Amino acid sequence: MSSSQGGVEDTYELQNDERLDDLHSKLRTLRGVTTDIYDDVERQNSTLDHTRDAFSSFGSSLASSSRRAANAFGIGNGGVKQWRIIGYCVIALLGMWITLKVVWWWYPSSPAPEH
């Protein structure tokens, strides 16, 4: 009986060794998946950090542009007043109109040649 029990124990030991090898293989696979997940999370965090920095920079630029526009239209403190801008536009239009009148007066359109 001892010889048959030795064969059974050897069989059990071989099965245990196979199962242990399977377990080691699964652990290596799990370790690889965990490492891949960690690397992916690090890449995503880096991308999110760059995106946050880009939006922060864009927000600062937009706020700066908004302040400059407010100053230009006299909305904020120390800005050019809106009536000044309107006045400049009216003066520019009058200046162009007068220039055109003077040019037409000095250089009238010539009559069409007769055939």
Side-chain angles (χ1 to χ4, degrees):
M1 198 152 169
S2 66
S3 68
S4 73
Q5 234 178 358
V8 172
E9 287 178 4
D10 289 340
T11 304
Y12 286 148
E13 191 171 333
L14 285 174
Q15 287 176 351
N16 283 342
D17 287 342
E18 288 175 4
R19 294 252 162 58
L20 190 60
D21 288 341
D22 288 343
L23 185 59
H24 281 292
S25 173
K26 289 179 182 179
L27 282 174
R28 279 192 298 272
T29 303
L30 183 60
R31 193 174 296 140
V33 168
T34 304
T35 302
D36 290 343
I37 289 173
Y38 176 80
D39 292 341
D40 187 48
V41 166
E42 288 297 316
R43 279 192 302 274
Q44 288 180 7
N45 281 339
S46 176
T47 301
L48 286 174
D49 288 342
H50 291 305
T51 303
R52 184 191 65 224
D53 292 344
F55 275 107
S56 177
S57 174
F58 175 72
S60 296
S61 296
L62 186 62
S64 176
S65 297
S66 176
R67 280 192 302 275
R68 283 191 304 240
N71 285 340
F73 290 107
I75 297 171
N77 294 338
V80 177
K81 299 299 179 200
Q82 189 174 6
W83 61 267
R84 275 188 165 171
I85 294 173
I86 293 171
Y88 294 148
C89 291
V90 168
I91 290 171
L93 288 173
L94 282 174
M96 288 190 315
W97 182 75
I98 291 171
T99 303
L100 284 175
K101 287 293 184 181
V102 168
V103 168
W104 284 333
W105 185 67
W106 283 101
Y107 302 105
S109 59
S110 59
E114 295 180 24
H115 289 27

